[in-house]
Amino acid sequence: YAGPQPLPQGDSQQAANQAASSSKPYGSALLPGEGEALAQYVQQNLRIPRRGEIGFSSCDIDSFEKSGFVMSGSRHARMNAVRIRKENQIYSAEEVRALALITLEENQQKEQALLQDFREMLTDKLKDG
């Protein structure tokens, strides 16, 4: 596909991301692999590159735009609408993933607190008994 390519990664991180990303739903409007490629930029808090911007860093693109260049993705209203919709799909999926991680951590903390209460109760019973 002609979208952003996945960011280069180390072997262990790449294997972990591939295992995790194979089950992530990013929506049906994205091409195979496009959601994962875009999500890598979102996860690293980087600007998702638009058409014609691939290969340039965010700093380069910002400096080009500030100096008066119009990047190809910002001229066409229809293409811009498709890009925004796809980006929103990625952001929504990543927000759901982040909320699920937060919920999981909260549940683990509650479980640990409950286990600690049970341990304290058992040690108190053993001391009294």
Side-chain angles (χ1 to χ4, degrees):
Y1 71 97
Q5 296 300 312
L7 292 171
Q9 301 174 349
D11 291 334
S12 61
Q13 184 183 4
Q14 188 175 10
N17 279 349
Q18 283 178 348
S21 68
S22 62
S23 62
K24 290 183 188 176
Y26 289 109
S28 59
L30 300 174
L31 297 171
E34 186 178 17
E36 290 84 5
L38 294 174
Q40 289 179 0
Y41 288 93
V42 173
Q43 291 165 357
Q44 296 182 14
N45 292 328
L46 297 174
R47 181 177 183 269
I48 297 174
R50 299 176 190 148
R51 184 172 172 234
E53 300 175 351
I54 298 169
F56 295 109
S57 70
S58 297
C59 297
D60 292 340
I61 294 165
D62 289 336
S63 67
F64 292 153
E65 288 178 343
K66 286 178 185 173
S67 63
F69 288 98
V70 177
M71 302 308 277
S72 67
S74 54
R75 262 192 285 181
H76 307 287
R78 190 176 199 177
M79 190 185 308
N80 220 12
V82 170
R83 178 191 55 79
I84 289 171
R85 182 179 42 77
K86 287 182 177 186
E87 285 180 4
N88 287 338
Q89 280 183 269
I90 301 299
Y91 288 129
S92 296
E94 289 301 310
E95 286 173 2
V96 167
R97 187 187 63 80
L99 287 174
L101 285 174
I102 291 170
T103 304
L104 178 67
E105 289 173 2
E106 288 175 353
N107 288 342
Q108 287 175 344
Q109 289 173 355
K110 286 179 188 177
E111 187 177 327
Q112 289 297 324
L114 185 63
L115 285 173
Q116 186 62 31
D117 289 345
F118 282 139
R119 286 185 188 118
E120 289 174 6
M121 186 173 62
L122 282 173
T123 54
D124 290 345
K125 292 245 182 197
L126 291 175
K127 285 181 185 176
D128 293 341

Short mmCIF file of all heavy atoms in Angstrom, two decimals, residues 21-58:
data_model
loop_
_atom_site.label_atom_id
_atom_site.label_comp_id
_atom_site.label_asym_id
_atom_site.label_seq_id
_atom_site.Cartn_x
_atom_site.Cartn_y
_atom_site.Cartn_z
N SER A 21 0.00 -6.48 17.77
CA SER A 21 -0.75 -5.74 16.77
C SER A 21 -1.61 -6.63 15.89
O SER A 21 -2.52 -6.15 15.23
CB SER A 21 0.18 -4.91 15.90
OG SER A 21 0.97 -5.75 15.10
N SER A 22 -1.34 -7.91 15.85
CA SER A 22 -2.12 -8.78 14.98
C SER A 22 -3.56 -8.88 15.44
O SER A 22 -4.44 -9.16 14.65
CB SER A 22 -1.50 -10.17 14.92
OG SER A 22 -1.50 -10.75 16.21
N SER A 23 -3.84 -8.59 16.71
CA SER A 23 -5.20 -8.69 17.22
C SER A 23 -5.86 -7.33 17.40
O SER A 23 -6.97 -7.26 17.88
CB SER A 23 -5.19 -9.42 18.56
OG SER A 23 -4.43 -8.67 19.50
N LYS A 24 -5.19 -6.24 17.01
CA LYS A 24 -5.76 -4.90 17.20
C LYS A 24 -6.67 -4.54 16.04
O LYS A 24 -6.25 -4.51 14.90
CB LYS A 24 -4.65 -3.86 17.29
CG LYS A 24 -3.85 -3.92 18.55
CD LYS A 24 -2.85 -2.80 18.56
CE LYS A 24 -1.90 -2.94 19.70
NZ LYS A 24 -0.87 -1.90 19.67
N PRO A 25 -7.93 -4.25 16.32
CA PRO A 25 -8.81 -3.79 15.26
C PRO A 25 -8.72 -2.28 15.09
O PRO A 25 -8.90 -1.52 16.03
CB PRO A 25 -10.20 -4.19 15.77
CG PRO A 25 -10.06 -4.14 17.26
CD PRO A 25 -8.63 -4.50 17.56
N TYR A 26 -8.42 -1.82 13.89
CA TYR A 26 -8.34 -0.38 13.63
C TYR A 26 -9.45 0.08 12.72
O TYR A 26 -9.48 1.23 12.32
CB TYR A 26 -6.99 -0.03 13.00
CG TYR A 26 -5.86 -0.15 13.97
CD1 TYR A 26 -4.94 -1.17 13.87
CD2 TYR A 26 -5.71 0.76 15.00
CE1 TYR A 26 -3.90 -1.28 14.77
CE2 TYR A 26 -4.67 0.66 15.91
CZ TYR A 26 -3.77 -0.36 15.78
OH TYR A 26 -2.75 -0.47 16.67
N GLY A 27 -10.35 -0.78 12.36
CA GLY A 27 -11.45 -0.39 11.49
C GLY A 27 -11.33 -1.04 10.13
O GLY A 27 -10.27 -1.47 9.71
N SER A 28 -12.44 -1.10 9.44
CA SER A 28 -12.47 -1.83 8.16
C SER A 28 -12.04 -0.96 6.98
O SER A 28 -11.78 -1.48 5.91
CB SER A 28 -13.88 -2.35 7.91
OG SER A 28 -14.79 -1.26 7.88
N ALA A 29 -11.95 0.35 7.17
CA ALA A 29 -11.62 1.24 6.04
C ALA A 29 -10.12 1.31 5.77
O ALA A 29 -9.71 1.88 4.78
CB ALA A 29 -12.15 2.64 6.31
N LEU A 30 -9.31 0.71 6.64
CA LEU A 30 -7.86 0.77 6.47
C LEU A 30 -7.37 -0.44 5.70
O LEU A 30 -7.91 -1.54 5.82
CB LEU A 30 -7.18 0.84 7.83
CG LEU A 30 -7.55 2.05 8.69
CD1 LEU A 30 -6.92 1.92 10.06
CD2 LEU A 30 -7.12 3.33 8.03
N LEU A 31 -6.33 -0.24 4.95
CA LEU A 31 -5.72 -1.35 4.21
C LEU A 31 -4.96 -2.26 5.17
O LEU A 31 -4.60 -1.84 6.27
CB LEU A 31 -4.76 -0.78 3.16
CG LEU A 31 -5.41 0.08 2.08
CD1 LEU A 31 -4.34 0.75 1.24
CD2 LEU A 31 -6.32 -0.75 1.22
N PRO A 32 -4.68 -3.51 4.76
CA PRO A 32 -3.92 -4.41 5.64
C PRO A 32 -2.56 -3.82 5.98
O PRO A 32 -1.81 -3.41 5.11
CB PRO A 32 -3.78 -5.69 4.81
CG PRO A 32 -4.87 -5.63 3.81
CD PRO A 32 -5.11 -4.17 3.53
N GLY A 33 -2.27 -3.74 7.26
CA GLY A 33 -0.99 -3.22 7.72
C GLY A 33 -0.96 -1.71 7.90
O GLY A 33 -0.09 -1.17 8.56
N GLU A 34 -1.94 -1.02 7.32
CA GLU A 34 -1.95 0.44 7.41
C GLU A 34 -2.23 0.91 8.84
O GLU A 34 -1.61 1.85 9.33
CB GLU A 34 -3.00 1.00 6.46
CG GLU A 34 -3.00 2.51 6.36
CD GLU A 34 -4.03 3.03 5.36
OE1 GLU A 34 -4.95 2.28 5.00
OE2 GLU A 34 -3.89 4.19 4.96
N GLY A 35 -3.15 0.24 9.51
CA GLY A 35 -3.49 0.61 10.88
C GLY A 35 -2.31 0.47 11.81
O GLY A 35 -2.03 1.35 12.63
N GLU A 36 -1.57 -0.64 11.69
CA GLU A 36 -0.41 -0.87 12.55
C GLU A 36 0.68 0.16 12.27
O GLU A 36 1.32 0.65 13.19
CB GLU A 36 0.14 -2.29 12.36
CG GLU A 36 -0.74 -3.39 12.92
CD GLU A 36 -1.84 -3.82 11.96
OE1 GLU A 36 -1.88 -3.32 10.81
OE2 GLU A 36 -2.70 -4.61 12.37
N ALA A 37 0.88 0.48 10.99
CA ALA A 37 1.92 1.45 10.63
C ALA A 37 1.59 2.83 11.19
O ALA A 37 2.46 3.51 11.76
CB ALA A 37 2.07 1.52 9.12
N LEU A 38 0.34 3.24 11.06
CA LEU A 38 -0.06 4.54 11.58
C LEU A 38 -0.04 4.56 13.11
O LEU A 38 0.33 5.55 13.73
CB LEU A 38 -1.45 4.91 11.07
CG LEU A 38 -1.58 5.15 9.57
CD1 LEU A 38 -3.05 5.36 9.18
CD2 LEU A 38 -0.76 6.33 9.14
N ALA A 39 -0.43 3.45 13.71
CA ALA A 39 -0.49 3.37 15.18
C ALA A 39 0.90 3.50 15.80
O ALA A 39 1.04 4.02 16.91
CB ALA A 39 -1.14 2.07 15.62
N GLN A 40 1.92 3.05 15.11
CA GLN A 40 3.27 3.17 15.65
C GLN A 40 3.66 4.63 15.81
O GLN A 40 4.33 4.99 16.78
CB GLN A 40 4.28 2.45 14.75
CG GLN A 40 4.17 0.96 14.82
CD GLN A 40 5.15 0.28 13.89
OE1 GLN A 40 5.92 0.94 13.20
NE2 GLN A 40 5.14 -1.04 13.87
N TYR A 41 3.22 5.48 14.89
CA TYR A 41 3.50 6.90 15.02
C TYR A 41 2.74 7.48 16.21
O TYR A 41 3.26 8.28 16.98
CB TYR A 41 3.11 7.66 13.74
CG TYR A 41 4.06 7.39 12.60
CD1 TYR A 41 3.81 6.38 11.67
CD2 TYR A 41 5.22 8.14 12.44
CE1 TYR A 41 4.68 6.14 10.63
CE2 TYR A 41 6.10 7.89 11.40
CZ TYR A 41 5.82 6.89 10.50
OH TYR A 41 6.69 6.65 9.48
N VAL A 42 1.48 7.08 16.37
CA VAL A 42 0.65 7.57 17.47
C VAL A 42 1.24 7.14 18.81
O VAL A 42 1.33 7.93 19.76
CB VAL A 42 -0.80 7.07 17.32
CG1 VAL A 42 -1.63 7.44 18.53
CG2 VAL A 42 -1.42 7.66 16.06
N GLN A 43 1.66 5.88 18.91
CA GLN A 43 2.21 5.37 20.16
C GLN A 43 3.49 6.08 20.56
O GLN A 43 3.78 6.19 21.75
CB GLN A 43 2.48 3.86 20.03
CG GLN A 43 1.22 3.05 19.95
CD GLN A 43 1.47 1.63 19.47
OE1 GLN A 43 2.59 1.26 19.16
NE2 GLN A 43 0.41 0.84 19.41
N GLN A 44 4.22 6.60 19.61
CA GLN A 44 5.47 7.29 19.91
C GLN A 44 5.29 8.81 19.90
O GLN A 44 6.26 9.56 19.90
CB GLN A 44 6.56 6.89 18.92
CG GLN A 44 6.90 5.42 19.04
CD GLN A 44 8.01 5.02 18.08
OE1 GLN A 44 8.69 5.87 17.52
NE2 GLN A 44 8.18 3.73 17.90
N ASN A 45 4.02 9.26 19.91
CA ASN A 45 3.68 10.69 19.92
C ASN A 45 4.33 11.44 18.76
O ASN A 45 4.79 12.56 18.91
CB ASN A 45 4.05 11.34 21.25
CG ASN A 45 3.20 10.84 22.37
OD1 ASN A 45 2.04 10.50 22.17
ND2 ASN A 45 3.77 10.78 23.56
N LEU A 46 4.37 10.82 17.59
CA LEU A 46 4.89 11.46 16.39
C LEU A 46 3.73 11.83 15.48
O LEU A 46 2.67 11.21 15.52
CB LEU A 46 5.84 10.52 15.64
CG LEU A 46 7.11 10.09 16.37
CD1 LEU A 46 7.86 9.06 15.55
CD2 LEU A 46 7.98 11.30 16.64
N ARG A 47 3.94 12.82 14.65
CA ARG A 47 2.95 13.24 13.67
C ARG A 47 2.84 12.17 12.59
O ARG A 47 3.84 11.71 12.07
CB ARG A 47 3.41 14.56 13.06
CG ARG A 47 2.49 15.15 12.04
CD ARG A 47 3.10 16.49 11.62
NE ARG A 47 2.27 17.20 10.69
CZ ARG A 47 2.38 17.08 9.38
NH1 ARG A 47 3.27 16.29 8.86
NH2 ARG A 47 1.59 17.77 8.59
N ILE A 48 1.62 11.79 12.26
CA ILE A 48 1.42 10.80 11.21
C ILE A 48 1.74 11.47 9.88
O ILE A 48 1.15 12.50 9.55
CB ILE A 48 -0.03 10.27 11.21
CG1 ILE A 48 -0.32 9.54 12.52
CG2 ILE A 48 -0.27 9.36 10.02
CD1 ILE A 48 -1.76 9.11 12.68
N PRO A 49 2.67 10.91 9.10
CA PRO A 49 3.02 11.55 7.83
C PRO A 49 1.89 11.42 6.81
O PRO A 49 1.19 10.41 6.76
CB PRO A 49 4.26 10.78 7.36
CG PRO A 49 4.19 9.49 8.05
CD PRO A 49 3.47 9.72 9.35
N ARG A 50 1.73 12.46 6.04
CA ARG A 50 0.73 12.46 4.98
C ARG A 50 1.39 12.07 3.68
O ARG A 50 2.60 11.91 3.60
CB ARG A 50 0.12 13.86 4.86
CG ARG A 50 -0.57 14.27 6.13
CD ARG A 50 -1.09 15.68 6.01
NE ARG A 50 -1.53 16.12 7.33
CZ ARG A 50 -1.47 17.35 7.75
NH1 ARG A 50 -0.96 18.30 6.98
NH2 ARG A 50 -1.89 17.66 8.94
N ARG A 51 0.58 11.98 2.65
CA ARG A 51 1.09 11.63 1.33
C ARG A 51 2.11 12.69 0.89
O ARG A 51 1.85 13.88 0.99
CB ARG A 51 -0.06 11.57 0.34
CG ARG A 51 0.34 11.13 -1.01
CD ARG A 51 -0.93 10.94 -1.84
NE ARG A 51 -0.52 10.70 -3.20
CZ ARG A 51 -0.97 11.39 -4.23
NH1 ARG A 51 -1.81 12.37 -4.04
NH2 ARG A 51 -0.56 11.10 -5.44
N GLY A 52 3.25 12.26 0.42
CA GLY A 52 4.29 13.19 -0.01
C GLY A 52 5.24 13.58 1.11
O GLY A 52 6.24 14.24 0.86
N GLU A 53 4.93 13.20 2.32
CA GLU A 53 5.76 13.57 3.46
C GLU A 53 6.59 12.40 3.98
O GLU A 53 7.40 12.57 4.88
CB GLU A 53 4.90 14.10 4.60
CG GLU A 53 4.09 15.30 4.25
CD GLU A 53 3.15 15.73 5.35
OE1 GLU A 53 2.98 15.01 6.34
OE2 GLU A 53 2.57 16.81 5.21
N ILE A 54 6.39 11.23 3.43
CA ILE A 54 7.07 10.04 3.91
C ILE A 54 8.56 10.17 3.62
O ILE A 54 8.97 10.52 2.52
CB ILE A 54 6.47 8.78 3.26
CG1 ILE A 54 5.01 8.65 3.66
CG2 ILE A 54 7.24 7.53 3.67
CD1 ILE A 54 4.24 7.63 2.92
N GLY A 55 9.36 9.92 4.61
CA GLY A 55 10.80 10.04 4.48
C GLY A 55 11.34 11.30 5.13
O GLY A 55 12.53 11.42 5.34
N PHE A 56 10.44 12.25 5.45
CA PHE A 56 10.84 13.48 6.12
C PHE A 56 10.46 13.38 7.60
O PHE A 56 9.45 12.77 7.95
CB PHE A 56 10.15 14.70 5.51
CG PHE A 56 10.55 14.98 4.09
CD1 PHE A 56 9.67 14.76 3.05
CD2 PHE A 56 11.81 15.46 3.80
CE1 PHE A 56 10.02 15.02 1.75
CE2 PHE A 56 12.18 15.71 2.49
CZ PHE A 56 11.29 15.48 1.46
N SER A 57 11.24 14.02 8.45
CA SER A 57 10.90 14.04 9.87
C SER A 57 9.84 15.11 10.12
O SER A 57 9.59 15.98 9.27
CB SER A 57 12.14 14.34 10.72
OG SER A 57 12.54 15.68 10.53
N SER A 58 9.21 15.07 11.29
CA SER A 58 8.20 16.06 11.64
C SER A 58 8.78 17.46 11.64
O SER A 58 8.13 18.42 11.21
CB SER A 58 7.61 15.74 13.01
OG SER A 58 6.96 14.51 12.99
#
